[in-house]
Amino acid sequence: MRMQGNPVSGGIGIGPVLTYRPVLPPVRERFVEKGQTEEERERYRAVIKELMGDLRKLSSSKDAGGQMAIFETHAELLADPATMESVFDLIDGGICAEWAVHIAFLHFADLMRDSDNAITRERSADFEDLRRKLLCRLSGTKQQDLSHLEEACVLVAEELLPSDVAALDAPKVNAIVTERGGATSHAAILARSLGIPMLMQVEDCTGKLLPGETVIVDAREGFMIARPGATELLLYTGKQKDWLRDRQEAVDSRFQPARTQDGEDVSLMLNVGGEVPMPDEVAACGGVGLLRSEFLFLERSAPPSEEEQFSHYRAVLAACVGKPVTLRTLDVGGDKTVPYLNMRQEENPFLGLRGLRLCLAQPELFRTQLRAALRASVFGPMQIMFPMVGSIEEFEQAKRFVEAVKEELVQEGHHFRRNMPVGVMIEVPSLALMGEELAQAVDFASIGTNDLCQYLNAADRMNDGVASYYDPCHPALWRLIASLGKAFSRAGKSLCICGEAAGSPAFMAAAYGLGISSFSMGLASIGPSKRALRVLNAKKLRREAARLPKMSTSEEVRRLLMEFANGEPLGL
Ligand code: PEP
Ligand code: MG
């Protein structure tokens, strides 16, 4: 029996089904007298203290990619005065701690689930996770223990919460299959960082699959096979072996030079969100090519202060020990809404007040961030870039803003890097078509293929219904990349690609052949990219890639990229 799913963490896993059915203890709906409310508050305080201790231990545990830091976020959610107040208010209203936790956390999870923003929606699982943990602790209920598994398995569940994945006995989990969840959920992010193949949205898998029966999960292609025949088993055991060898090689490649077969060094950088990169991440890359600073602004009730931003940027620079860091200024709007910024409801938010447009419309917000960034710039080679820029005038307006902030800092006697490079993300076609002039105006630039591709193809990047129109192989995109590569090479300025496509070794190879000098990607893509570079000849790449801007169909582009992929999936 073949079942389709959404592959959110690539790979192949085979093994007996282990069905996970988390227990949610029944909520005791108990009224309490006035005199007992302090006792209930105390019960709540005690479990919070215990849980926060466990979460902080989890968050500081070493993992590939620093992803466990999400448990620090969980701890912050618990400690947030608004969360505490909601539960205490309910208890003071005359109900027991369990009931109050149930109502308050269900309410938070519902609020998140109703958001227009995909990332906030995924966060609803985090509140569910906390609700379950608190209720278990309050009632002394034990969960099925996933941290010590008897034998290797394929874990099957309706939904996995982040702490379920974090607690996993990972070496014994060959694959994970769930009915619910999305690629940007923390559970999926954790599975990717642990290197466990994962399929989501597999319909009724907990009902259709029997515990103990063997299944094959192909999370490269996006399906699974239940009760496979002997031939299928043999075939996929071979594929799994190849994939495991590949994965190990890719991890080993992480710390090797990013060099082509004929000795050209390519700059491979790291994309980071709200976390400070770990030493092994820094060792694997040439620096941070994209610091998505908006992560500091999400999931909170007020913007981070100048001091808070300053210490974070300084921490990132310190962690990078002299390697360059490109800080992207606040990029909200589009799919990322921030309630406290009083953003207007827009019919087409991706074409609305987002990125730099929003910063220019809210100068105080922009000013605070620039002050923090400039002050931090003395701690390492930092450069800043603006997202969602449509014209050279917009860039110049933002640059004047930076100059004014510098003037202010001079007056106040602050130190900062006077000649800090300032650049743009190339995401809007109107700017992408101005390569020659742009290369003169900016210090550097980075192509954001996630957005450039959606605007060029007129296909919303979040809309599954038009996914086939969102085409990174469209020859128009390659014409733009080629002309930008030429313009920036001529001007002697650095041009990076930092969208998801940079993590596809074949895409990177083709763009390198067209003069793009640097690529910024997630940690998981660094090893495979370095390994791919080792067998590529740069001169041949340039010769072959020169054909791309002359192609007229996406199919032709795809065929050439497949040649650069050396038999690996394109990953686009
Ligand atoms: C991009 O658009 O390619 C990019 C890197 O920015 P984001 O995905 O954060 O919009
Ligand atoms: Mg973008």
Side-chain angles (χ1 to χ4, degrees):
M1 176 173 55
R2 217 174 228 254
M3 296 157 78
Q4 297 297 322
N6 178 17
V8 295
S9 172
I12 293 181
I14 304 175
V17 168
L18 173 71
T19 313
Y20 176 54
R21 298 189 196 279
V23 197
L24 185 61
V27 184
R28 281 167 61 208
E29 299 185 352
R30 183 168 56 85
F31 291 103
V32 294
E33 299 298 326
K34 263 229 159 337
Q36 292 173 310
T37 54
E38 190 43 42
E39 200 180 305
E40 293 303 305
R41 276 172 163 255
E42 196 39 49
R43 287 180 64 222
Y44 181 61
R45 275 191 214 104
V47 294
I48 287 279
K49 194 166 162 217
E50 206 181 277
L51 185 52
M52 298 250 282
D54 287 359
L55 288 169
R56 296 232 144 95
K57 236 184 269 155
L58 264 177
S59 78
S60 56
S61 63
K62 184 86 186 66
D63 71 300
Q67 298 294 353
M68 299 297 181
I70 62 166
F71 295 108
E72 184 59 37
T73 314
H74 282 193
E76 278 163 18
L77 289 176
L78 284 180
D80 187 328
T83 319
M84 295 289 262
E85 285 305 308
S86 310
V87 176
F88 285 151
D89 283 354
L90 285 160
I91 292 177
D92 292 347
I95 62 175
C96 67
E98 287 90 328
W99 200 359
V101 163
H102 173 67
I103 295 174
F105 281 75
L106 209 55
H107 172 67
F108 293 137
D110 284 349
L111 276 184
M112 301 276 154
R113 198 173 295 119
D114 289 343
S115 164
D116 293 337
N117 176 334
I119 297 176
T120 310
R121 268 201 309 276
E122 304 275 6
R123 290 302 82 85
S124 134
D126 296 324
F127 277 103
E128 276 298 321
D129 198 341
L130 287 171
R131 182 170 74 101
R132 199 175 76 195
K133 283 210 188 90
L134 287 167
L135 288 177
C136 282
R137 278 173 202 243
L138 282 165
S139 63
T141 310
K142 287 254 172 305
Q143 284 293 349
Q144 191 178 343
D145 185 11
L146 295 177
S147 62
H148 299 285
L149 299 174
E150 297 276 301
E151 52 166 0
C153 68
V154 169
L155 188 66
V156 175
E158 272 183 27
E159 180 175 23
L160 280 184
L161 297 176
S163 59
D164 296 326
V165 183
L168 279 184
D169 187 354
K172 295 224 181 79
V173 180
N174 292 349
I176 305 174
V177 180
T178 65
E179 291 175 18
R180 292 198 297 272
T184 49
S185 65
H186 275 142
I189 294 170
L190 281 169
R192 283 198 288 276
S193 76
L194 292 168
I196 304 176
M198 183 172 194
L199 274 188
M200 281 179 155
Q201 292 149 25
V202 179
E203 210 187 315
D204 193 25
C205 56
T206 52
K208 288 182 184 151
L209 301 170
L210 302 175
E213 71 177 347
T214 301
V215 290
I216 296 170
V217 177
D218 186 338
R220 296 169 86 170
E221 300 290 333
F223 64 85
M224 65 182 297
I225 305 172
R227 289 154 232 146
T231 332
E232 276 171 324
L233 254 184
L234 200 65
L235 175 71
Y236 277 91
T237 307
K239 286 190 181 200
Q240 183 191 32
K241 237 188 182 153
D242 292 347
W243 171 71
L244 286 170
R245 198 186 45 236
D246 253 41
R247 187 181 66 171
Q248 194 50 47
E249 259 180 50
V251 171
D252 296 345
S253 294
R254 213 175 257 176
F255 302 106
Q256 301 190 346
R259 189 168 295 153
T260 62
Q261 181 207 49
D262 48 341
E264 289 190 18
D265 285 324
V266 181
S267 151
L268 295 191
M269 314 285 280
L270 192 68
N271 287 353
V272 301
E275 69 285 356
V276 174
M278 310 286 266
D280 57 339
E281 295 179 273
V282 173
C285 68
V288 170
L290 171 65
L291 192 166
R292 287 184 162 105
S293 68
E294 62 274 13
F295 279 89
L296 288 184
F297 292 71
L298 304 177
E299 291 175 40
R300 46 191 299 154
S301 48
S305 66
E306 180 180 324
E307 284 317 303
E308 192 179 333
Q309 292 188 59
F310 167 72
S311 15
H312 183 76
Y313 305 149
R314 184 181 54 187
V316 174
L317 285 163
C320 287
V321 286
K323 292 187 177 178
V325 172
T326 304
L327 183 151
R328 174 174 78 183
T329 57
L330 183 62
D331 186 15
V332 291
D335 61 322
K336 299 178 199 125
T337 52
V338 178
Y340 58 79
L341 292 182
N342 301 319
M343 294 153 75
R344 265 190 30 214
Q345 273 279 343
E346 296 175 304
E347 289 263 333
N348 292 301
F350 273 112
L351 303 180
L353 201 64
R354 62 173 298 216
L356 179 64
R357 298 172 180 182
L358 183 104
C359 284
L360 292 173
Q362 302 211 16
E364 206 36 47
L365 191 71
F366 198 26
R367 177 174 161 266
T368 307
Q369 180 169 42
L370 292 173
R371 282 178 61 93
L374 279 159
R375 284 176 49 211
S377 68
V378 292
F379 295 95
M382 176 193 270
Q383 49 185 21
I384 53 170
M385 67 179 175
F386 309 120
M388 184 71 182
V389 179
S391 69
I392 291 174
E393 292 96 306
E394 267 172 63
F395 166 70
E396 278 167 351
Q397 190 185 351
K399 203 170 162 188
R400 281 198 297 280
F401 205 106
V402 175
E403 291 305 319
V405 173
K406 281 185 181 172
E407 195 48 48
E408 205 178 278
L409 292 176
V410 171
Q411 299 298 329
E412 292 171 24
H414 284 294
H415 295 288
F416 58 90
R417 193 176 287 262
R418 305 263 168 155
N419 55 356
M420 181 172 68
V422 183
V424 284
M425 291 202 61
I426 304 177
E427 299 177 291
V428 182
S430 57
L431 190 71
L433 284 160
M434 301 294 291
E436 291 294 335
E437 296 79 357
L438 185 64
Q440 297 305 321
V442 298
D443 295 321
F444 70 94
S446 191
I447 306 178
T449 43
N450 303 342
D451 277 316
L452 184 56
C453 191
Q454 79 163 339
Y455 294 132
L456 205 55
N457 288 296
D460 182 346
R461 62 194 263 193
M462 310 295 286
N463 181 349
D464 288 347
V466 292
S468 62
Y469 294 96
Y470 181 95
D471 183 10
C473 289
H474 197 299
L477 179 67
W478 289 94
R479 280 187 200 182
L480 281 182
I481 293 175
S483 78
L484 289 165
K486 211 181 256 172
F488 276 74
S489 306
R490 239 196 319 258
K493 306 249 172 101
S494 154
L495 180 60
C496 180
I497 294 186
C498 63
E500 288 305 300
S504 152
F507 190 101
M508 173 202 61
Y512 183 70
L514 290 172
I516 310 299
S517 52
S518 170
F519 300 87
S520 194
M521 57 193 73
L523 179 69
S525 302
I526 298 238
S529 301
K530 288 185 174 175
R531 195 176 48 171
L533 281 171
R534 274 206 299 279
V535 295
L536 289 165
N537 180 292
K539 289 177 204 68
K540 186 163 167 232
L541 270 184
R542 277 192 279 276
R543 234 181 5 256
E544 298 280 309
R547 289 167 37 214
L548 283 163
K550 297 184 201 116
M551 291 179 172
S552 47
T553 65
S554 165
E555 193 42 46
E556 279 174 273
V557 173
R558 196 166 281 274
R559 264 204 303 273
L560 183 58
L561 259 54
M562 286 303 284
E563 282 177 32
F564 296 155
N566 268 323
E568 292 294 317
L570 273 192
L572 289 171

